[in-house]
């Protein structure tokens, strides 16, 4: 069943995130996707996450699709103007990609090409409007297209926002839903209690909320994320558990699996598992989560 | 200088129509030179607005002032004692002045009376053209003192492109090809050999693309 139908019918969806390589050797990328073939509903292919050069999301998606894996294309307004965005979106649809996710992209200054000039011709909501317009059969100049693309459209949601920022995030979500967003992938979730408080404020009948499960690698990584990434909180018990464990990778896999089980029990629409370099451990995470 | 153009009066009227007393504040620097927001333009705008509101039966009190600069604390301070009596200010300074006044006088709405356009020169009376984009890494030493970032449509660092025809740019027959100008001037300076030296790929991090910019000079700070 396609991702779109699965979301629509309210079944639990399982997504995995695979970054394309920095280079042209797609062998490892394909191998990792094949390891979990049939166990994921789709692979999310990031568009140069953290502003670090990699092969494009469009290229990665087209490659995996040609090997029989459904994908979610990330479209990012950081590096492309409205012409380039529309061109890639049309090409993606023609290549059989049926899921897209609009993302703003991390600031170029924090990536590996800080000398580059960011584009940002459109913002995130403009980009969603553009996706809607194209699906109605017209381009941004109002000119009719030869064939309409059809997508299951998604975007991002920051579950770590609080106070006034949270209100803004929720307003933003309303606008996204109005612009046709059917699913949102959240920032990594580690604290289920906190996440439950957040999710209470969202009408999950209107939009499928898909929390990100980030596979930790060590207590050091967990501490670093907790201290330095503003919108991600990792409970101290989680960090202690990893510290105490004799087999730390195994513990990290167990933590991820347990979080997935809890989120499924909470009735979430699905999960997006991000293994950042440990893609070969994804099958174990899925088994741990009983998926 | 910073070049600006007067906003259409209809746009200004739309912004201020619900107030009763406004101040129009000009600036004696760049916008005076480009005849968009100096004392003369303050007077013309004030008269036009007074006429408009009288003709429309609306009581509107309009005062005028022109400051030496609106991008410096000391000159903006000159209106501190009067500004409280106004419902709003229309500033004819560039966007810098409008914002700096708004930062200083937080409770008074400050509206822009001009569209700030670019950093440029008066080519001739009534004609202003762009010369600098403030990219933060000046390359004029290498381009015969003619800036391809601000004057070439493609911002080419090694030009010209194939769109250069008879010294003009492909986007408009009224626009000189910056690279033709560079080559011509290199010839005049007897430095045409410099044209063979390729400029490296530009680092845009010091341009606006790298985020809002700031210059801090510890040696001159108080």
């Amino acid at each position: 069943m396609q991702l779109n139908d699965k979301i629509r019918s309210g079944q639990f969806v399982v997504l995995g995130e695979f970054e394309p390589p920095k280079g042209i050797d797609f062998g490892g990328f394909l191998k990792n996707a094949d390891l979990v073939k049939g166990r994921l509903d789709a692979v999310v292919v990031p568009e140069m996450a953290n502003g670090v050069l990699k092969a494009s999301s469009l290229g990665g998606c087209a490659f995996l699709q040609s090997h029989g894996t459904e994908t979610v294309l990330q479209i990012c307004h950081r590096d492309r103007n409205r012409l380039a965005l529309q061109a890639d979106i049309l090409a993606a649809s023609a290549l059989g990609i049926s899921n897209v996710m609009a993302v703003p992209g991390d600031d170029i200054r924090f990536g590996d090409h800080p000398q580059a000039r960011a584009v940002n011709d459109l913002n995130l909501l403009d980009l969603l409007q553009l996706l809607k317009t194209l699906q109605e059969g017209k381009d941004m100049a109002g000119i009719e297209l030869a064939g309409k693309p059809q997508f299951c459209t998604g975007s991002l949601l920051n579950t770590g926002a609080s106070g006034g920022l949270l209100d803004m995030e929720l307003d933003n979500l309303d606008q996204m839903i109005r612009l046709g967003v059917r699913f949102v992938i959240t920032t990594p979730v580690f604290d289920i209690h906190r996440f439950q408080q957040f999710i209470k404020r969202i009408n999950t009948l209107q939009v499928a909320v898909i929390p990100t499960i980030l596979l930790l690698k060590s207590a050091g990584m967990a501490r670093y994320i907790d201290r330095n990434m503003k919108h991600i909180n990792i409970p101290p018990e989680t960090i202690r558990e990893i510290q105490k464990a004799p087999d730390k990778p195994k513990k990290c896999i167990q933590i991820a699996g347990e979080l997935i089980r809890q989120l499924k029990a909470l009735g979430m629409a699905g999960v997006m598992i991000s293994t950042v370099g440990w893609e070969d451990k994804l099958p174990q995470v899925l088994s741990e989560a009983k998926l | 200088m910073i070049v600006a153009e007067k906003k259409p009066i209809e746009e200004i009227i739309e912004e201020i129509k619900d107030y009763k007393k406004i101040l129009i504040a000009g600036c004696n620097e760049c916008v005076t030179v480009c005849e968009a927001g100096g004392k003369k333009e303050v007077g013309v705008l004030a008269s036009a607005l007074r006429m408009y509101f009288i003709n429309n039966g609306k009581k509107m009190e309009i005062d005028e002032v022109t400051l030496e600069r609106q991008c410096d604390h000391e000159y903006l301070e000159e209106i501190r004692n009067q500004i409280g009596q106004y419902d709003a200010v229309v500033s004819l300074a560039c966007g810098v002045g409008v914002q700096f006044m708004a930062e200083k006088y937080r409770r008074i709405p400050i509206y822009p009376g001009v569209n700030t356009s670019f950093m440029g020169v008066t080519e001739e009376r009534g004609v202003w053209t762009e010369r600098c984009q403030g990219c933060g890494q000046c390359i004029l030493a290498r381009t015969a003192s003619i800036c391809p970032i601000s004057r070439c449509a493609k911002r080419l660092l090694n030009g010209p492109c194939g769109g250069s025809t008879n010294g003009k740019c492909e986007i408009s027959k009224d626009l000189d090809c910056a690279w033709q100008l560079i080559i011509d001037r290199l010839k005049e300076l007897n430095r045409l050999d410099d044209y063979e030296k390729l400029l490296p790929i530009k680092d845009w991090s010091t341009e606006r693309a790298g985020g809002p910019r700031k210059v801090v000079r510890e040696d001159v700070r108080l």
Side-chain angles (χ1 to χ4, degrees):
Chain A
M1 192 187 275
Q2 284 220 307
L3 181 65
N4 187 24
D5 301 326
K6 219 162 165 183
I7 289 175
R8 215 173 259 208
S9 62
Q11 294 184 58
F12 192 73
V13 301
V14 185
L15 307 174
E17 184 182 58
F18 291 155
E19 276 217 276
K22 191 185 193 79
I24 62 160
D25 182 357
F26 276 49
F29 181 60
L30 179 61
K31 193 173 147 206
N32 288 328
D34 280 346
L35 276 179
V36 284
K37 207 166 193 174
R39 299 180 77 184
L40 294 182
D41 293 299
V43 169
V44 176
V45 184
E47 175 68 6
M48 291 185 273
N50 304 312
V52 173
L53 176 83
K54 297 280 167 76
S56 68
S57 178
L58 177 57
C61 287
F63 181 79
L64 290 184
Q65 297 255 150
S66 71
H67 289 84
T69 294
E70 185 171 347
T71 58
V72 179
L73 172 75
Q74 282 198 350
I75 313 255
C76 169
H77 55 76
R78 177 192 58 208
D79 312 315
R80 288 171 170 80
N81 68 11
R82 66 191 76 185
L83 270 173
L85 287 165
Q86 292 179 95
D88 281 354
I89 294 165
L90 296 177
S93 184
L95 287 165
I97 296 162
S98 54
N99 312 300
V100 296
M101 234 182 110
V103 298
D106 302 301
D107 198 293
I108 279 179
R109 279 172 296 178
F110 307 127
D112 63 352
H113 287 65
Q115 311 86 351
R117 192 164 65 210
V119 177
N120 294 319
D121 176 22
L122 305 181
N123 66 29
L124 192 63
L125 293 175
D126 297 336
L127 178 50
L128 288 167
Q129 175 63 57
L130 157 62
L131 278 161
K132 192 166 179 275
T133 306
L134 291 176
Q135 290 180 83
E136 287 162 0
K138 296 230 162 112
D139 70 8
M140 273 183 88
I143 299 165
E144 208 154 314
L145 302 170
K148 298 179 196 177
Q150 283 300 318
F151 294 112
C152 174
T153 307
S155 194
L156 297 172
L157 182 68
N158 178 7
T159 54
S162 55
L165 267 182
L166 174 59
D167 293 336
M168 276 168 63
E169 190 70 10
L170 296 175
D171 281 350
N172 222 22
L173 180 63
D174 285 341
Q175 292 191 59
M176 286 187 192
I177 294 167
R178 274 198 290 277
L179 291 169
V181 162
R182 296 215 199 110
F183 68 93
V184 280
I185 295 183
T186 75
T187 37
V189 172
F190 293 97
D191 187 333
I192 294 285
H193 179 69
R194 230 183 135 119
F195 180 73
Q196 273 179 290
Q197 297 303 315
F198 176 86
I199 207 74
K200 272 186 200 160
R201 296 192 56 182
I202 296 172
N203 181 358
T204 49
L205 294 174
Q206 285 187 316
V207 64
V209 178
I210 303 177
T212 291
I213 298 300
L214 176 66
L215 178 60
L216 294 169
K217 291 175 175 169
S218 64
M221 175 188 181
R223 247 194 318 268
Y224 179 85
I225 291 175
D226 187 51
R227 280 185 196 154
N228 297 299
M229 302 185 84
K230 218 171 31 191
H231 300 300
I232 308 179
N233 291 284
I234 304 186
E237 311 85 78
T238 305
I239 301 175
R240 270 199 301 275
E241 265 183 66
I242 304 171
Q243 259 170 342
K244 281 188 200 156
D247 184 343
K248 292 180 179 19
K250 191 174 168 198
K251 177 46 81 183
C252 290
I253 291 166
Q254 282 170 352
I255 290 169
E258 175 61 23
L259 281 168
I260 296 169
R261 284 204 301 274
Q262 288 177 337
L263 289 165
K264 194 173 177 186
L266 279 179
M268 298 318 302
V271 284
M272 206 282 295
I273 309 165
S274 175
T275 45
V276 280
W278 274 7
E279 282 75 11
D280 58 331
K281 294 187 171 45
L282 186 52
Q284 292 162 261
V285 175
L286 293 170
S287 301
E288 194 65 41
K290 308 211 175 346
L291 292 170
Chain B
M1 75 177 141
I2 293 175
V3 177
E5 286 185 279
K6 292 184 209 174
K7 268 191 184 292
I9 192 165
E10 300 77 20
E11 200 180 319
I12 297 173
I13 290 167
E14 189 54 35
E15 299 294 354
I16 63 167
K17 63 181 192 307
D18 296 329
Y19 298 121
K20 292 196 174 73
K21 187 172 182 180
I22 63 153
L23 175 69
I24 300 181
C27 177
N28 245 337
E29 294 285 342
C30 313
V31 288
T32 296
V33 182
C34 67
E35 303 186 37
K39 193 173 181 186
K40 188 180 79 187
E41 291 74 31
V42 168
V44 171
L45 177 63
S47 304
L49 288 173
R50 283 184 201 113
M51 259 186 332
Y52 172 84
F53 287 113
I54 288 168
N55 287 342
N56 285 275
K58 159 135 182 125
K59 200 167 177 292
M60 173 74 90
E61 208 176 317
I62 297 172
D63 287 344
E64 304 169 31
V65 68
T66 298
L67 303 177
E68 194 54 34
R69 276 200 288 281
Q70 293 192 25
C71 52
D72 265 324
H73 286 297
E74 60 176 299
Y75 301 111
L76 282 174
E77 280 300 327
E78 289 172 5
I79 52 169
R80 181 165 294 283
N81 293 334
Q82 303 102 279
I83 197 164
Q85 59 183 292
Y86 298 101
D87 299 329
V89 176
V90 175
S91 164
L92 299 196
C94 66
V96 176
V98 175
Q99 291 182 67
F100 214 37
M101 188 182 285
E103 284 169 36
K104 203 173 252 308
Y105 301 113
R106 302 183 69 88
R107 291 189 184 165
I108 310 231
I110 317 287
Y111 293 97
V114 303
N115 289 322
T116 306
S117 306
F118 51 76
M119 283 188 271
V121 295
T122 311
E123 259 190 24
E124 57 187 81
R125 181 84 199 267
V127 179
W128 294 274
T129 52
E130 187 164 18
R131 287 293 184 277
C132 179
Q133 291 202 341
C135 73
Q137 288 183 56
C138 191
I139 53 164
L140 287 170
R142 301 285 307 276
T143 56
S145 311
I146 291 162
C147 174
I149 305 292
S150 56
R151 301 184 67 184
C152 165
K154 293 176 178 168
R155 309 192 209 193
L156 290 182
L157 291 178
N158 297 287
C161 70
S164 175
T165 310
N166 299 325
K168 297 294 176 188
C169 175
E170 65 184 355
I171 68 162
S172 163
K173 61 178 172 32
D174 298 325
L175 184 67
D176 288 329
C177 165
W179 273 97
Q180 186 66 58
L181 297 176
I182 292 170
I183 291 165
D184 291 348
R185 185 157 156 81
L186 283 171
K187 263 189 217 160
E188 282 165 18
L189 296 171
N190 206 20
R191 277 178 43 201
L192 205 50
D193 287 351
D194 283 359
Y195 178 63
E196 300 298 324
K197 296 175 191 157
L198 290 183
L199 279 163
I201 293 173
K202 189 151 178 79
D203 174 356
W204 293 102
S205 63
T206 55
E207 192 234 26
R208 176 60 186 84
R213 293 165 289 174
K214 184 176 187 172
V215 173
V216 180
R217 281 268 311 274
E218 291 302 340
D219 59 328
V220 293
R221 290 186 87 176
L222 293 175

